[in-house]
Amino acid sequence: LLTSGQLRFNYVNAEEAELMACREGLNSAIQLIYRLITLEAECLMICLPLKSKDENRSSLALQLKEVKLLSDELREVEFVHCNRNSNRVAHELANYACREMSSTVWLRCAPNFVAPLVELD
Protein backbone atom coordinates (compact mmCIF):
# COMPACT_ATOMS: atom_id res chain seq x y z
CA LEU A 1 0.00 0.00 0.00
CA LEU A 2 1.38 3.38 -1.03
CA THR A 3 -0.47 6.54 -0.04
CA SER A 4 0.56 10.13 -0.61
CA GLY A 5 -0.70 13.66 -0.44
CA GLN A 6 1.16 16.08 -2.67
CA LEU A 7 0.99 19.85 -2.53
CA ARG A 8 1.39 21.32 -6.02
CA PHE A 9 0.60 24.66 -7.67
CA ASN A 10 0.28 26.18 -11.14
CA TYR A 11 -1.75 23.58 -12.99
CA VAL A 12 -3.79 24.81 -15.93
CA ASN A 13 -6.83 22.66 -15.13
CA ALA A 14 -8.10 19.67 -13.16
CA GLU A 15 -7.11 17.23 -15.90
CA GLU A 16 -3.48 18.34 -15.77
CA ALA A 17 -3.47 18.12 -11.95
CA GLU A 18 -4.91 14.59 -12.09
CA LEU A 19 -2.40 13.52 -14.73
CA MET A 20 0.53 14.87 -12.73
CA ALA A 21 -0.77 13.03 -9.65
CA CYS A 22 -0.74 9.84 -11.75
CA ARG A 23 2.84 10.58 -12.77
CA GLU A 24 3.94 11.13 -9.17
CA GLY A 25 2.21 7.95 -8.04
CA LEU A 26 3.89 5.89 -10.73
CA ASN A 27 7.29 7.43 -9.95
CA SER A 28 6.87 6.40 -6.32
CA ALA A 29 5.63 2.94 -7.30
CA ILE A 30 8.64 2.35 -9.55
CA GLN A 31 10.93 3.00 -6.60
CA LEU A 32 8.96 1.19 -3.91
CA ILE A 33 6.55 -1.41 -5.28
CA TYR A 34 7.15 -4.40 -7.54
CA ARG A 35 3.67 -5.84 -7.96
CA LEU A 36 0.45 -5.09 -9.78
CA ILE A 37 -0.40 -1.40 -9.49
CA THR A 38 -3.96 -0.15 -9.65
CA LEU A 39 -4.04 3.56 -10.33
CA GLU A 40 -7.46 5.09 -9.75
CA ALA A 41 -8.34 8.39 -11.40
CA GLU A 42 -11.61 10.24 -11.09
CA CYS A 43 -11.08 12.19 -14.29
CA LEU A 44 -12.45 10.12 -17.16
CA MET A 45 -10.72 12.42 -19.67
CA ILE A 46 -7.38 11.25 -18.22
CA CYS A 47 -8.24 7.61 -17.58
CA LEU A 48 -9.49 6.87 -21.11
CA PRO A 49 -6.35 8.03 -22.96
CA LEU A 50 -4.12 6.27 -20.41
CA LYS A 51 -5.91 3.00 -21.18
CA SER A 52 -5.92 3.59 -24.94
CA LYS A 53 -3.28 2.40 -27.40
CA ASP A 54 -4.18 5.24 -29.77
CA GLU A 55 -1.98 8.30 -30.14
CA ASN A 56 -3.26 11.28 -28.22
CA ARG A 57 -3.19 14.75 -29.78
CA SER A 58 -4.64 16.79 -26.93
CA SER A 59 -2.85 19.58 -25.08
CA LEU A 60 -1.83 16.94 -22.51
CA ALA A 61 -0.36 14.53 -25.06
CA LEU A 62 3.23 14.84 -23.81
CA GLN A 63 2.26 14.32 -20.19
CA LEU A 64 0.07 11.35 -21.13
CA LYS A 65 2.96 9.81 -23.03
CA GLU A 66 5.26 10.32 -20.05
CA VAL A 67 2.82 8.58 -17.70
CA LYS A 68 2.42 5.69 -20.15
CA LEU A 69 6.21 5.33 -20.39
CA LEU A 70 6.46 5.26 -16.60
CA SER A 71 3.78 2.58 -16.44
CA ASP A 72 5.85 0.47 -18.85
CA GLU A 73 8.60 0.31 -16.21
CA LEU A 74 6.31 -1.54 -13.82
CA ARG A 75 5.30 -5.17 -14.11
CA GLU A 76 1.64 -4.37 -14.57
CA VAL A 77 -0.42 -1.21 -14.19
CA GLU A 78 -4.19 -1.05 -14.34
CA PHE A 79 -5.76 2.38 -14.87
CA VAL A 80 -9.22 2.47 -13.31
CA HIS A 81 -11.78 5.25 -13.53
CA CYS A 82 -13.71 5.86 -10.34
CA ASN A 83 -16.24 8.56 -9.70
CA ARG A 84 -15.66 11.30 -7.15
CA ASN A 85 -18.03 9.72 -4.62
CA SER A 86 -15.95 6.52 -4.68
CA ASN A 87 -12.66 8.33 -4.24
CA ARG A 88 -12.97 9.85 -0.78
CA VAL A 89 -9.44 8.76 0.18
CA ALA A 90 -7.88 10.86 -2.59
CA HIS A 91 -10.09 13.82 -1.68
CA GLU A 92 -9.09 13.65 1.99
CA LEU A 93 -5.38 13.27 1.14
CA ALA A 94 -5.58 16.35 -1.10
CA ASN A 95 -7.30 18.29 1.68
CA TYR A 96 -4.61 17.18 4.13
CA ALA A 97 -1.83 18.38 1.82
CA CYS A 98 -3.56 21.76 1.49
CA ARG A 99 -4.18 22.14 5.23
CA GLU A 100 -0.64 21.14 6.17
CA MET A 101 0.97 22.90 3.20
CA SER A 102 3.20 19.86 2.69
CA SER A 103 3.63 16.66 0.73
CA THR A 104 3.77 13.31 2.53
CA VAL A 105 4.13 9.67 1.49
CA TRP A 106 3.00 6.74 3.63
CA LEU A 107 4.32 3.28 2.77
CA ARG A 108 2.65 -0.01 3.80
CA CYS A 109 -0.17 1.69 5.68
CA ALA A 110 -2.72 4.42 5.18
CA PRO A 111 -2.60 7.36 7.56
CA ASN A 112 -5.04 7.15 10.46
CA PHE A 113 -7.26 9.93 9.13
CA VAL A 114 -8.07 7.98 5.93
CA ALA A 115 -7.93 4.38 7.20
CA PRO A 116 -11.73 4.14 7.69
CA LEU A 117 -12.28 5.57 4.19
CA VAL A 118 -9.99 2.98 2.57
CA GLU A 119 -12.43 0.24 3.53
CA LEU A 120 -15.40 2.22 2.20
CA ASP A 121 -13.77 3.12 -1.13
Side-chain angles (χ1 to χ4, degrees):
L1 177 63
L2 174 67
T3 311
S4 75
Q6 302 280 324
L7 183 64
R8 299 286 190 250
F9 299 100
N10 300 324
Y11 291 121
V12 174
N13 54 39
E15 288 83 10
E16 183 181 14
E18 180 95 5
L19 187 55
M20 294 302 93
C22 292
R23 184 186 71 186
E24 293 299 318
L26 288 173
N27 271 324
S28 296
I30 287 168
Q31 297 172 32
L32 302 169
I33 300 173
Y34 306 102
R35 297 177 290 196
L36 167 67
I37 304 297
T38 301
L39 198 148
E40 294 181 343
E42 66 182 48
C43 180
L44 187 60
M45 299 311 291
I46 294 302
C47 199
L48 289 177
L50 286 175
K51 293 168 111 176
S52 174
K53 301 287 185 203
D54 297 335
E55 184 178 350
N56 187 282
R57 295 176 190 255
S58 74
S59 61
L60 297 173
L62 290 176
Q63 291 100 325
L64 286 162
K65 186 173 184 173
E66 181 181 9
V67 170
K68 284 183 175 187
L69 288 172
L70 284 171
S71 71
D72 289 343
E73 294 187 35
L74 293 159
R75 191 175 84 186
E76 186 176 350
V77 177
E78 178 184 18
F79 295 104
V80 176
H81 174 253
C82 62
N83 65 39
R84 187 168 297 193
N85 295 332
S86 299
N87 205 3
R88 290 174 284 199
V89 172
H91 180 73
E92 187 55 38
L93 289 168
N95 285 337
Y96 175 84
C98 290
R99 276 192 315 271
E100 300 298 318
M101 293 298 289
S102 68
S103 299
T104 309
V105 175
W106 296 269
L107 184 60
R108 294 189 187 89
C109 66
N112 291 337
F113 63 93
V114 297
L117 298 175
V118 170
E119 292 180 26
L120 296 174
D121 277 0

